[in-house]
Amino acid sequence: MDLLTETCTGACPVARAAAVLSGKWTTLIFRELLGGTKRYSQLQTALGHISPKVLADRLRYLEAEGLIRRDLFPTIPPRTEYSLTETGRRIEPVIHAMAHFGTMLQGQNA
């Protein structure tokens, strides 16, 4: 079975991956977390123009999908850190491929 030529239904692996990665900021959140554990404020700063609501929503969604882990530390004020799970780390070659493709596209527009 060729995953790239079969009819893509809701059960198609490519459709499933696209559904998880959908959203303007999702791949950029992964890119940031590939560098290691980050606090919420570090993610917000690194991502620039993301709204707090959108960041919180995306992080909750990715946590529910089992792709990131949220660790809450009972300090004052509370500290929350985010990191990739083992499953979430499997996106690394996809992000690298996207970076390579983006670099190629930038070279075409130069």
Side-chain angles (χ1 to χ4, degrees), residues 5 20 23 39 77:
T5 59
V20 169
R39 293 177 71 174

Side-chain angles (χ1 to χ4, degrees), residues 21-98:
L21 295 175
S22 68
K24 180 178 178 182
W25 299 99
T26 303
T27 54
L28 297 177
I29 291 169
F30 276 114
R31 184 198 65 194
E32 291 304 318
L33 292 176
L34 281 169
T37 300
K38 300 275 192 303
R39 293 177 71 174
Y40 180 91
S41 60
Q42 291 174 306
L43 287 170
Q44 192 168 25
T45 299
L47 295 172
H49 301 292
I50 190 171
S51 76
K53 180 188 180 328
V54 171
L55 179 55
D57 287 348
R58 295 311 305 163
L59 290 171
R60 270 193 297 274
Y61 172 76
L62 294 171
E63 183 183 11
E65 289 290 323
L67 300 171
I68 66 169
R69 176 179 34 258
R70 181 175 66 99
D71 293 311
L72 181 61
F73 298 91
T75 58
I76 297 179
R79 187 178 85 217
T80 306
E81 294 181 345
Y82 296 89
S83 57
L84 294 174
T85 63
E86 187 176 325
T87 302
R89 290 206 69 74
R90 292 182 180 179
I91 191 138
E92 188 167 6
V94 175
I95 300 299
H96 283 288
M98 290 176 70

